[in-house]
Amino acid sequence: MGANVSTMRPARDLLHQLPLLPIQPDRSVDYEAADAALLLALAENCETFMNTIQQGLSALGVILAHASPEVGSEIGSDTIEALGWFMAETADIAAALLVLTRACRHYTADYAPAKVEPASQARF
């Protein structure tokens, strides 16, 4: 999560990774059959995306607080309503991502990726 979000596309990457998850006959995710590296990448993208959503929702809250009629704003009620629905939907997405992240982290708790040995230096 430490990377700069402006240089990453966690939502796009997440949408590309989700179809790679194996599913069970009841259409639930089969985390035990999933590739551990995929689960780790999903968890990282979910966490980064959730962080972006939460920062955006916070920013919208600040803007809406300053857009109230009491402070002289002329923003229409239809705009405020649309923002409310948007905020509700994105908060629901963040909640679903949290569930996915926790499942990915649970099923990879004991996963240790193989260490890649550095290539030996060529000598001339």
Side-chain angles (χ1 to χ4, degrees):
M1 275 183 35
N4 185 354
V5 176
S6 65
T7 61
M8 298 171 42
R9 301 304 300 261
R12 182 193 63 202
D13 292 343
L14 180 66
L15 290 174
H16 285 133
Q17 293 165 334
L18 285 174
L20 302 175
L21 288 172
I23 58 171
Q24 298 177 355
D26 66 354
R27 301 268 187 212
S28 63
V29 175
D30 188 355
Y31 291 101
E32 290 182 6
D35 179 57
L38 172 63
L39 293 179
L40 285 178
L42 274 168
E44 289 294 321
N45 284 325
C46 285
E47 289 169 351
T48 303
F49 188 35
M50 282 188 297
N51 186 39
T52 302
I53 288 173
Q54 294 303 326
Q55 288 178 354
L57 288 175
S58 177
L60 281 173
V62 171
I63 290 170
L64 288 175
H66 288 88
S68 68
E70 292 82 19
V71 294
S73 174
E74 295 183 18
I75 296 175
S77 62
D78 57 335
T79 301
I80 301 299
E81 179 185 1
L83 280 172
W85 287 115
F86 172 75
M87 293 171 73
E89 289 295 317
T90 53
D92 286 347
I93 290 169
L97 291 174
L98 181 61
V99 171
L100 178 60
T101 300
R102 293 302 142 224
C104 289
R105 295 287 185 202
H106 172 77
Y107 283 95
T108 58
D110 61 351
Y111 173 67
K115 283 190 173 184
V116 177
E117 295 296 325
S120 60
Q121 295 291 327
R123 297 182 186 199
F124 297 99

